[in-house]
Amino acid sequence: MNTKQKLKIWGSFFVCTAFFIAVPASAQEEFNIRTFDQDLNKKSEITIAQKGNGSFYDFDVVDLGGDGVNEFIVTEGYVAHPMIYLYRYDGSLINSWQPYPIGYEGRINVATADLDGDGKDEIIVVPGEGGGPHVRIFDGYGQAKLTNGFFADSTDYRAGLEVAVADTNNDGQPELLVSIIKDNKNIIRFFDVHGNKIHTDIEIPAEGYFEPMKVKAFDLNGDNRDEIILGGSMGGSPKVFVVNSITGLVNSFDAYASTFRGGMDVIGAEINGQSVIITSAGYSGGPHVRFFDIDGNVAIDSNFFVYDKEFRGGVNVAVGEFNAGSEIVVFPQTITLKSNMTSFGKVIKVNLTEQRLYTYDKGRLIKSFLISSGRPGFDTPTGEFHVFKKRPLVRMSWYYGPDDPNNYDVPDVPSVLSFKGPYTIHAAWWHSNWGHVMSHGCVNVSMDLSEWLYDWTPLNTPVIITAN
């Protein structure tokens, strides 16, 4: 795609955090790419090979062949081997590869643009929280281009990155925009395509945000300079910020209800001849895509839902060029697979009201015991998940800010079962207050019972968490 149409990026880590907002179990079976024409009529439903499995997905469109027709790029994180996948419009796989070394298991955030002027898009990826601030650029074959990678911040930075491509000064040269969060500020840092720092950083207040804001760029006012578009991330208000690289903040407005804290995706695009900002609600919000002008006025139909209204997995949005012309494209951020307790075999169920965990084998109760789940503000997510990773010993930490009483760094946490992104069931040797909420979102279990549960539980075991 061209530099006027970039997409979003995300990130996260395997510690117990308060990133996700607990929501009732809902219709999570939606897992197809959907496209819509510029009048918001559905054009296609494209099935791809991904399975969901508790992963977190980023998404964009990319012109691999330089023919003006886009392909789809999907990145899968929160798995043992985070991957990039390339698909044709019919859903067939073109290529896939692992962009970061074995050991990194978080999100991969992606943008695309023609960086070297050959007419074919490159693929730019950055890690989510937990990974170093390592920016990498690939061609469609998975080969590094222009640079072997560079660091957008100090190598010990672990709060995640977002990335986009822009031309903010109308010099015809693409700029890499990297979004970083530090000390309640969101920083936009500029690099050339070889990883050299250029221009002056831009800082936007980011009180309450857990992650870097989504960043995109688009010429919204027709002056041949891209404005920078930022979308509020998880933990903070659902604000869109429009920034000029020279004059600073142009405007900000709420894209969704001011109480929503699930984050959003955001892009700029031209729809029916009008330059608009497009937003889509993140995890725990409905599948609501909205359109605004640069001043925050609703530009197109404000009641556009791209999946079943009960879907709460979050939505990625892009605009691409295909054989039938320009189309709006959406793809879920997360999927929770449903499980049948009577037919699967082994199942773990957690009742948050009772603060109790139950284990079943072929519908038969095997063992039940008290646990401690997330305290208010650090809610354990409800829904139907599965154990996608087992680790015998993990160091868990999180930093919320200087002298924040919620900061923690706990070494040697044993018997760790990962069931949803950073959320786990694990032993807690530092307390014995079972039956009461205690954690930052994970499910705490006593040392002896956690060892039994770890040995009893195979990978892919369903984990069903309910509020009652």
Side-chain angles (χ1 to χ4, degrees), residues 11 43 46 70 102 116 170 219 310 334 438 451:
K43 296 292 291 183
I46 302 154
N70 286 142
I102 291 174
D116 58 3
N170 195 28
D219 181 6
E310 295 304 309
T334 66
M438 289 285 294
E451 183 176 359

Side-chain angles (χ1 to χ4, degrees), residues 69-92:
V69 177
N70 286 142
E71 292 78 32
F72 302 123
I73 179 169
V74 175
T75 67
E76 182 182 26
Y78 280 154
V79 290
H81 304 288
M83 297 286 288
I84 295 171
Y85 298 93
L86 299 174
Y87 295 96
R88 299 178 183 87
Y89 190 84
D90 64 3
S92 59

